[in-house]
Amino acid sequence: MLPRRIKCTEERPHCVRCSKSGLPCPGYKVPVARIFESQPPSALQFDSDLDRTRYQYFVEIGSRILSTFQWNSTPFWTRLAPQQGLRHAAVRHGLTALGAIQARFHNITMAEMQARARPKISALAMSHAHKAMHLVRTADPGTLPIEVSLTCCLLFLAIQFWIERTSSATIHILAAYRILHEKSDADASLSAKPPDMAGEFATTFIPTLDELISHTCTFSDDFPPPGSGIPADYHLDYDVSQLLVCDISDSSRALDAIDRLLKCVLRATSMPGISQSLEEKITSAFLCLGRKIQELRDTDVLSGHGFEYIHLCLHLRVANVMFLTIGRHDEAGFDAFHADFGFIVDCCSKIIDLNAADPRRKQSVLSPSLGVLPPLFFVATRCREPRLRREALALLHEAGVNERGWTSCIAFSIANFVVREEENGLNDLLGQDGAADRIRRRIRLHDVQVCNPSRTANIKYFVFEHGFRDAGPVCPAISNPESGLKGIIQCKASIPYPSHPSVEIDGVTCQMSRKVLRACGYSSITLFRQRVDCHC
């Protein structure tokens, strides 16, 4: 005989009817927040119409903007991340946060941005970011799908980049890397996908993470950390090989390829030695990209006098000169590239003129670019031909932009310090033949730390004595400042530092990593460019 059903009166801790009947009360089922259940788009719940609007903004517009930073990530941001957002509330909150951050930049031109401060991160964006983090942290790890964990890692990483807190961004990259290894026992290349991960997600996510790791190895100090299992040359040979077979059909793909080649150059030249096979591959990659860019011009995809073509040629040439020079500690070696430095200065001058023209001033601040400050800083600090380096200094100051956490005036101040120190007592250099040979002090910057209260920059740099030449690889004194090497002197100096609100977070100036300083300010494609007035 079936037991008689008794309607629960829902008193706590035991209902009255169970107590009167002398039956044990089974208690109450605790409601479970089903944050990871799949839902159709029409069933998505938002707290407000604004939340829904910001979510849709990212799905329809922001995802494409974000993928320009890393072309291989386009399928992830435009398709897979929104799919995860339909299924999981944690991802949906993260996408809404990104949409709220990006929407404030929508349709703002560089000319308009010059008259106002950079849009602040809204309370709505931070609220959704915190909700996403809370849902992931409080979820049961055993039931949390691996796709959700990994997607949220990249969402949190993207949020950190957009609010320019890149110092904590590496945490999310390491978290994603460790999740994959714990689930799959894969080797360092992440070549094997976890058994419980969908194949489409794995084939899209893993290359995206690989490229992010390569990026972080290139530009973040103290990465990879000891014990992480990530080698310093992570995917380097593979990345170069991919450049030889990549499809370049327009300026966006060409810019992405040059950016990836530049990262390979910076990583390869920072190591104690570079193998002959890798050196040959990088050389072939330069020839291949140069040929493909010319094909784009010859087929009228790019105009020979247009911004995109000049921009691509500029940064390809800078990357090539860096490949041939910065891996060695013979500072006089830069004197062999005056023609290249002249080409770089000429391209930068044309780009600045185009940016100053009315059509370019209407360009959105979210246009992807490798900028003009790094090439000009490279010429000003590494070229010893007086006329060229002074042209570079003048253009640095004239550019009037904010790129990657420093402005024209900031870059000018640091570069001008190098010029003054190297040419100290040589006021008659300008216009003389062989002037570069007369510069006896060759300076290489090592570290710049900004002190906000005093508005000064503390600079560590190396002075190469005249006649010091060595054809070997990276100088031990540069990779390890504590070690000494005859002919190289480590020095310190403080200079006035013209900080600017556009490069400050909560009143604190963003610090530049030593790796980015070595790269003369390059830190991959930038999406945000703001015009700023002189603040020297």
Side-chain angles (χ1 to χ4, degrees):
M1 181 177 179
L2 294 174
R4 183 169 61 91
R5 295 181 61 187
I6 299 176
K7 181 176 176 59
C8 181
T9 53
E10 299 188 0
E11 290 86 1
R12 296 177 184 271
H14 306 291
C15 71
V16 173
R17 288 188 176 177
C18 285
S19 300
K20 287 183 177 180
S21 302
L23 298 173
C25 183
Y28 305 94
K29 184 177 181 180
V30 178
V32 177
R34 300 183 180 277
I35 61 173
F36 302 117
E37 285 189 349
S38 177
Q39 302 179 58
S42 59
L44 293 180
Q45 297 296 318
F46 293 92
D47 293 336
S48 67
D49 290 339
L50 182 59
D51 288 356
R52 183 183 298 274
T53 300
R54 293 297 179 251
Y55 174 82
Q56 289 296 333
Y57 178 87
F58 178 84
V59 172
E60 297 171 5
I61 300 174
S63 58
R64 294 195 299 274
I65 294 173
L66 189 58
S67 64
T68 58
F69 168 76
Q70 186 184 358
W71 192 263
N72 286 345
S73 69
T74 300
F76 175 80
W77 290 116
T78 59
R79 188 176 71 254
L80 293 187
Q83 286 176 2
Q84 295 296 319
L86 296 177
R87 299 183 177 99
H88 312 298
V91 177
R92 189 158 58 252
H93 281 299
L95 297 180
T96 305
L98 274 173
I101 293 171
Q102 294 173 318
R104 291 202 161 197
F105 295 93
H106 188 62
N107 288 336
I108 299 178
T109 66
M110 291 183 66
E112 293 170 337
M113 183 62 76
Q114 187 174 9
R116 54 174 146 167
R118 174 177 174 142
K120 294 183 178 180
I121 306 304
S122 66
L124 177 69
M126 298 311 298
S127 172
H128 281 283
H130 291 152
K131 287 178 181 178
M133 292 181 184
H134 175 74
L135 289 175
V136 172
R137 288 171 179 168
T138 57
D140 181 1
T143 60
L144 183 64
I146 185 174
E147 292 88 350
V148 175
S149 300
L150 295 174
T151 300
C152 286
C153 284
L154 293 201
L155 281 173
F156 301 152
L157 170 67
I159 291 171
Q160 294 297 313
F161 271 116
W162 274 88
I163 65 178
E164 295 192 338
R165 296 186 185 275
T166 54
S167 59
S168 59
T170 57
I171 297 173
H172 304 297
I173 293 178
L174 287 173
Y177 181 83
R178 287 166 181 162
I179 289 171
L180 280 176
H181 273 261
E182 289 172 0
K183 295 287 186 178
S184 63
D185 294 327
D187 59 17
S189 66
L190 300 181
S191 57
K193 80 175 186 68
D196 55 345
M197 183 191 294
E200 182 188 13
F201 186 90
T203 55
T204 300
F205 180 87
I206 291 177
T208 300
L209 179 60
D210 279 335
E211 192 165 339
L212 284 171
I213 292 174
S214 297
H215 169 89
T216 312
C217 287
T218 307
F219 298 116
S220 295
D221 293 339
D222 306 318
F223 190 94
S228 65
I230 302 175
D233 61 347
Y234 183 88
H235 255 229
L236 179 56
D237 192 89
Y238 174 81
D239 290 343
V240 177
S241 299
Q242 288 297 105
L243 289 170
L244 297 173
V245 297
C246 64
D247 175 44
I248 298 178
S249 56
D250 54 32
S251 61
S252 297
R253 290 182 181 270
L255 181 63
D256 177 73
I258 292 174
D259 176 52
R260 286 188 283 143
L261 178 57
L262 181 61
K263 293 174 188 175
C264 292
V265 165
L266 293 171
R267 292 173 65 198
T269 55
S270 67
M271 296 176 184
I274 178 172
S275 67
Q276 183 177 352
S277 62
L278 180 59
E279 185 173 358
E280 291 174 352
K281 283 184 179 180
I282 293 177
T283 301
S284 298
F286 274 110
L287 296 174
C288 179
L289 289 184
R291 184 171 61 253
K292 290 181 178 180
I293 291 172
Q294 293 305 316
E295 289 174 358
L296 293 179
R297 187 194 67 171
D298 295 341
T299 55
D300 294 329
V301 175
L302 297 176
S303 167
H305 301 286
F307 173 85
E308 286 80 10
Y309 178 73
I310 297 172
H311 183 230
L312 295 172
C313 291
L314 163 66
H315 294 288
L316 186 64
R317 182 69 65 92
V318 173
N320 192 27
V321 177
M322 283 186 167
F323 175 59
L324 298 172
T325 55
I326 66 171
R328 301 182 180 276
H329 54 274
D330 176 11
E331 284 290 305
F334 290 96
D335 297 343
F337 295 91
H338 288 165
D340 297 278
F341 287 133
F343 176 85
I344 293 169
V345 170
D346 184 56
C347 287
C348 288
S349 178
K350 292 177 180 178
I351 288 175
I352 291 173
D353 289 342
L354 287 170
N355 284 338
D358 286 343
R360 297 305 303 176
R361 287 177 63 82
K362 295 177 182 178
Q363 180 187 36
S364 168
V365 295
L366 294 181
S367 301
S369 169
L370 283 170
V372 295
L373 299 188
L376 290 172
F377 189 85
F378 179 57
V379 175
T381 57
R382 298 301 176 89
C383 174
R384 272 80 186 193
E385 203 285 314
R387 179 186 61 82
L388 285 175
R389 74 186 325 184
R390 280 167 174 75
E391 284 186 26
L393 279 174
L395 289 172
L396 261 181
H397 193 265
E398 178 188 339
V401 292
N402 165 19
E403 295 174 356
R404 301 182 185 86
W406 64 349
T407 66
S408 298
C409 292
I410 293 172
F412 170 81
S413 298
I414 298 173
N416 193 46
F417 164 78
V418 174
V419 173
R420 286 189 291 104
E421 286 294 301
E422 289 189 339
E423 298 183 4
N424 186 27
L426 301 174
N427 298 326
D428 59 340
L429 273 181
L430 198 60
Q432 293 190 12
D433 293 334
D437 293 334
R438 292 183 55 195
I439 297 178
R440 307 182 69 85
R441 287 168 58 85
R442 307 270 179 158
I443 288 176
R444 186 176 300 185
L445 298 170
H446 176 67
D447 192 22
V448 176
Q449 292 294 321
V450 178
C451 180
N452 280 87
S454 61
R455 293 294 181 183
T456 59
N458 299 318
I459 300 177
K460 292 181 181 179
Y461 60 98
F462 296 97
V463 176
F464 291 70
E465 293 181 355
H466 181 67
F468 178 82
R469 293 174 180 268
D470 191 318
V474 177
C475 172
I478 293 176
S479 59
N480 180 11
E482 300 301 323
S483 64
L485 192 66
K486 186 177 180 180
I488 300 180
I489 304 171
Q490 182 177 350
C491 301
K492 297 180 181 179
S494 293
I495 64 171
Y497 191 84
S499 189
H500 189 269
S502 66
V503 296
E504 296 177 350
I505 298 177
D506 300 329
V508 179
T509 302
C510 302
Q511 302 286 354
M512 180 179 292
S513 74
R514 293 187 301 275
K515 288 183 179 179
V516 172
L517 182 63
R518 176 181 180 268
C520 295
Y522 276 110
S523 58
S524 195
I525 295 173
T526 178
L527 296 177
F528 177 84
R529 298 177 69 243
Q530 177 183 357
R531 296 193 66 85
V532 294
D533 293 323
C534 175
H535 57 96
C536 290

